[in-house]
Amino acid sequence: MPLIELAGIDRSFLLGDTTVHALAGLNLQINAGEYVAVMGPSGSGKSTLLNLLGLLDRPQAGTYRLDGRDVTTLSPDEQAAVRSAKIGFVFQSFHLVPRLTAAENIALPMTLAGIPAAERQRRVDQALKDFGLDHRADHKPDQLSGGQRQRVAIARATIMQPPLLLADEPTGNLDRHTGDEVIHLLEALNARGVTLIIVTHDASLGARARRRLIMEDGHLKSDSAAEA
Amino acid sequence: MRLADTLHFARAAATGYPARTALSVLAMAIGVAAVVVLTALGDGARRYVVSQFSSLGTNLVIVLPGRSGTGGFNPATAITSTPRDLTIDDAASLRRLPAVARVAPLAVGTSEISAGGRLRETMVAGTARDYFAIRNFEIAQGDALPDDDWNRGAPVAVIGARIQEELFGSTPALGQRVRVGDRRLRIVGVLKPTGQGLGMNTDELVIVPVALAQAMFNSNTLFRVLVEASSRDAIPAARESVLNTLKQRHRGEEDVTVITQDAVLATFDRLLGALTLAVAGIAAISLAVAGILVMNVMLVAVTQRTGEIGLLKALGASGRDIRRAFLAEAAMLSAVGAVVGYLLGQAGAFALRQAFPVFPAYPPDWAVIAGLATALGTGLLFGVMPARRAARLDPVQALMKH
Ligand SMILES: Nc1ncnc2c1ncn2[C@@H]1O[C@H](COP(=O)(O)OP(=O)(O)OP(=O)(O)O)[C@@H](O)[C@H]1O
Ligand SMILES: [Mg+2]
């Protein structure tokens, strides 16, 4: 059974009088543990797809099964619970809460999930060590470099140990070297079994993924898995 | 999200924007402080008046010559009937009434008092021994007036503390002779100093037997007759019998006015109580205004933190978590404002009491509780709308705002 199963997904936006079909009749299956790069020109629907996979957005038509369960019909709060337990996000612009320290940002998903403080502390300490942030625990985001910020964001995305990690251009705001470090971190997580889906414009990054999806105008133009 | 974490998160959010937090806390604080100080003033006034009235004596029934008060001013009777004198015998006749404990006639006037070459103007009260008990006067030296026949004015006087000081300084006054008007009197007692009160200032008072005062002022009528009822419950009965007795003595004409201290006191109490309530109401309006300000501040906060709300949702926050966090923040702003305002208000009331020691400017408990409750209530009430707006934000839209 695939981890992700999209069938006949439609997502369109009304822009004035015109309807923009960000996703149209999309079918897609992704198995647990896969490493997928989503590529394609700007406006082709990559972010829309990722938002849908992350249950931040709802399709107008079609079904989305996550772990065999239809999640399109869930209530907003049920979807929140699914996000909390199963999905980690990494964004291009990090999205750290500026007034919280690195440690507090990392702990945020656990705080929201109601995990006791002692357990949070233990897991945050471990994560800080794993991501080389030991000495940055009490730094606010504006006291961190871009690479450190993205490492905090990744630590936060994985702290709940979700099976699915979604990253929308995670290296878009980083220089080549730092970007590579971040990618290595994400790949290491994938190596430990996390399903990794990365949206990227960078062909060399895309080439590293075991499976490449090329989007165009809301359709899947090519899928390396289907060609093989 | 756990309650402790929600509160912690809300506190961090509030302190993360110091300017707007300070603004709403200040608005709430001013509102609560206004309630506390204004009700302290109002209730202080009420207590002041009540205590001053009580210091006039307890269970008092006061007889005034002439018909007035009840029914208001009547021009016809005011012109046609000059009131009959209220005499010493009238007063004496009241002493035997069943509900009456003590009676004191009172005639007043001003005169000069001199001793040892020093002279000053003074208020003279002509009365009897029971007057001291009725008014709770305390004697510093000597004794009150002798318990004589009221119609026999012995040439004696009891003087106030200030008079004794001015005429005699540190030399003993007791047994000394003074001249009051054209009389030579012997000082038999000195009152303890009391200070300024609502009635007469007893420190500058000279008290002499009532017959003597009437002779000095060449008048036959009394200024007042003070009647002390035997108990609080006996006040109406005493009033009734006093009125009937005097009516009989005045050939059936009701030409005196009898007021009870209780009635006067109750009127003042009600009046000033209402005033305090009105003042509290006005102050409460400022609380409502503060509540609206908190709402606006929270709405701004929701707009400011739209991106953050989107992020929290992406990280698994439910609508309930978001709603609670914002509500907690609004409640916190109000609560801190309320506490600061309470402390400010108490400090203000304290300053008032320091500046005017006779004025008991304590805020009543009901006002403090109502003020704090209103502050928290409006804070929460006006926090609900922004919190719900935050909870309903679409996560994708919110995230794009980041
Ligand atoms: N909230 C929205 N309202 C209106 N149109 C939208 C909205 N979100 C996306 N779209 C439209 O949907 C289409 C797909 O957008 P999407 O953001 O998925 O593109 P993308 O592939 O991520 O592009 P990029 O590489 O520039 O990030 C675009 O035409 C975009 O204008
Ligand atoms: Mg995009």
Side-chain angles (χ1 to χ4, degrees):
Chain A
M1 182 183 66
L3 178 71
I4 290 169
E5 230 182 325
L6 297 181
I9 295 288
D10 275 332
R11 179 70 173 102
S12 54
F13 296 98
L14 215 56
L15 272 182
D17 305 335
T18 57
T19 313
V20 181
H21 291 276
L23 295 175
L26 193 78
N27 298 308
L28 180 65
Q29 294 194 349
I30 296 173
N31 290 320
E34 277 199 76
Y35 177 9
V36 182
V38 183
M39 304 178 67
S42 189
S44 55
K46 306 184 294 293
S47 295
T48 307
L49 172 63
L50 217 64
N51 288 338
L52 251 150
L53 291 177
L55 292 179
L56 294 177
D57 201 3
R58 285 167 186 269
Q60 273 107 5
T63 53
Y64 171 17
R65 291 177 168 279
L66 181 64
D67 245 350
R69 178 185 184 197
D70 184 356
V71 288
T72 36
T73 54
L74 296 181
S75 75
D77 277 2
E78 286 169 329
Q79 291 194 334
V82 173
R83 279 198 295 273
S84 171
K86 299 207 166 155
I87 302 166
F89 285 98
V90 179
F91 305 94
Q92 175 176 356
S93 49
F94 321 130
H95 280 334
L96 300 180
V97 181
R99 62 170 182 277
L100 299 183
T101 64
E104 286 167 336
N105 264 291
I106 294 172
L108 203 47
M110 294 190 289
T111 310
L112 291 169
I115 290 174
E119 169 72 4
R120 293 202 303 254
Q121 186 65 46
R122 197 185 61 69
R123 275 155 76 172
V124 167
D125 286 345
Q126 185 60 46
L128 285 167
K129 224 173 275 150
D130 292 347
F131 291 91
L133 293 162
D134 310 49
H135 305 298
R136 301 286 179 270
D138 297 325
H139 287 49
K140 297 274 170 69
D142 59 5
Q143 297 163 328
L144 297 172
S145 73
Q148 286 167 342
R149 283 184 219 183
Q150 199 58 303
R151 272 185 279 159
V152 171
I154 294 170
R156 183 179 66 188
T158 54
I159 199 77
M160 292 292 287
Q161 294 163 341
L164 177 60
L165 196 56
L166 305 172
D168 196 347
E169 301 184 42
T171 61
N173 282 0
L174 301 174
D175 62 48
R176 173 104 243 150
H177 176 70
T178 340
D180 282 348
E181 272 179 18
V182 164
I183 289 298
H184 285 131
L185 273 178
L186 293 174
E187 286 174 356
L189 289 164
N190 173 248
R192 281 192 265 134
V194 176
T195 309
L196 178 63
I197 304 178
I198 300 184
V199 169
T200 181
H201 280 122
D202 186 333
S204 67
L205 278 188
R208 298 173 66 98
R210 279 193 294 281
R211 180 175 172 192
R212 277 169 305 284
L213 303 176
I214 315 288
M215 306 259 321
E216 199 176 80
D217 285 338
H219 299 279
L220 259 189
K221 189 182 159 206
S222 75
D223 180 350
S224 63
E227 288 153 19
Chain B
M1 203 161 164
R2 289 164 176 252
L3 181 64
D5 290 324
T6 304
L7 294 179
H8 185 257
F9 188 84
R11 197 194 65 203
T15 50
Y17 300 85
R20 67 169 184 77
T21 296
L23 182 72
S24 21
V25 165
L26 187 70
M28 208 41 110
I30 289 173
V32 173
V35 169
V36 172
V37 170
L38 290 177
T39 55
L41 267 177
D43 205 52
R46 188 185 64 79
R47 281 187 221 208
Y48 178 73
V49 168
V50 168
S51 78
Q52 288 299 331
F53 260 95
S54 307
S55 78
L56 291 179
T58 44
N59 306 334
L60 266 194
V61 175
I62 303 165
V63 185
L64 291 69
R67 182 103 181 89
S68 69
T70 50
F73 177 72
N74 184 341
T77 55
I79 294 164
T80 56
S81 68
T82 44
R84 189 183 304 263
D85 287 345
L86 183 60
T87 63
I88 293 177
D89 290 337
D90 283 340
S93 71
L94 304 176
R95 301 171 83 175
R96 288 178 300 273
L97 295 178
V100 168
R102 292 190 181 97
V103 177
L106 186 61
V108 296
T110 54
S111 184
E112 282 171 345
I113 180 168
S114 63
R118 280 181 250 199
L119 179 138
R120 62 157 290 167
E121 184 98 345
T122 185
M123 180 102 155
V124 178
T127 183
R129 186 179 179 84
D130 273 350
Y131 185 64
F132 293 80
I134 292 174
R135 295 286 312 270
N136 299 320
F137 285 170
E138 288 181 87
I139 307 285
Q141 304 161 35
D143 195 6
L145 290 177
D147 194 11
D148 280 350
D149 179 357
W150 290 359
N151 282 303
R152 224 201 100 229
V156 295
V158 175
I159 60 174
R162 183 90 186 274
I163 303 259
Q164 111 113 67
E165 194 188 303
E166 285 184 14
L167 293 185
F168 298 99
S170 52
T171 61
L174 217 57
Q176 298 292 320
R177 302 213 168 256
V178 288
R179 178 166 283 281
V180 178
D182 55 357
R183 309 282 170 138
R184 283 174 61 79
L185 308 178
R186 189 169 49 88
I187 295 174
V188 295
V190 180
L191 293 175
K192 274 194 183 164
T194 54
Q196 189 63 54
L198 190 70
M200 289 178 261
N201 182 351
T202 61
D203 292 351
E204 302 187 24
L205 192 63
V206 174
I207 303 172
V208 300
V210 62
L212 189 70
Q214 285 197 329
M216 272 166 60
F217 300 127
N218 197 18
S219 128
N220 284 323
T221 191
L222 294 172
F223 173 63
R224 297 279 187 273
V225 179
L226 302 186
V227 178
E228 188 183 301
S230 47
S231 71
R232 199 184 165 82
D233 297 332
I235 291 175
R239 181 183 188 280
E240 196 65 20
S241 58
V242 163
L243 203 56
N244 286 337
T245 307
L246 292 179
K247 201 165 158 185
Q248 253 169 38
R249 290 180 59 89
H250 292 187
R251 298 210 201 96
E253 224 180 305
E254 200 179 307
D255 57 359
V256 293
T257 304
V258 180
I259 54 175
T260 61
Q261 186 192 14
D262 249 30
V264 178
L265 201 63
T267 307
F268 267 100
D269 201 18
R270 262 204 315 279
L271 206 74
L272 291 165
L275 185 79
T276 307
L277 207 62
V279 160
I282 292 167
I285 293 174
S286 69
L287 277 178
V289 172
I292 292 171
L293 192 93
V294 167
M295 175 170 76
N296 276 297
V297 160
M298 289 313 296
L299 284 176
V300 169
V302 171
T303 314
Q304 245 175 7
R305 281 193 256 147
T306 298
E308 180 184 316
I309 294 163
L311 171 71
L312 291 178
K313 289 197 167 180
L315 298 181
S318 63
R320 186 160 149 268
D321 290 333
I322 308 270
R323 202 162 49 237
R324 283 225 219 148
F326 275 82
L327 212 51
E329 193 177 335
M332 243 172 234
L333 294 180
S334 310
V336 172
V339 169
V340 170
Y342 171 75
L343 294 177
L344 277 179
Q346 287 289 13
F350 178 76
L352 272 176
R353 293 196 297 271
Q354 293 295 308
F356 309 102
V358 295
F359 196 79
Y362 292 93
D365 288 344
W366 64 261
V368 170
I369 291 167
L372 290 175
T374 313
L376 287 179
T378 49
L380 274 179
L381 190 72
F382 287 111
V384 167
M385 206 252 271
R388 293 178 64 165
R389 177 174 297 190
R392 273 204 305 265
L393 279 178
D394 175 38
V396 182
Q397 300 286 332
L399 265 176
M400 285 187 349
K401 286 262 177 60
H402 211 82

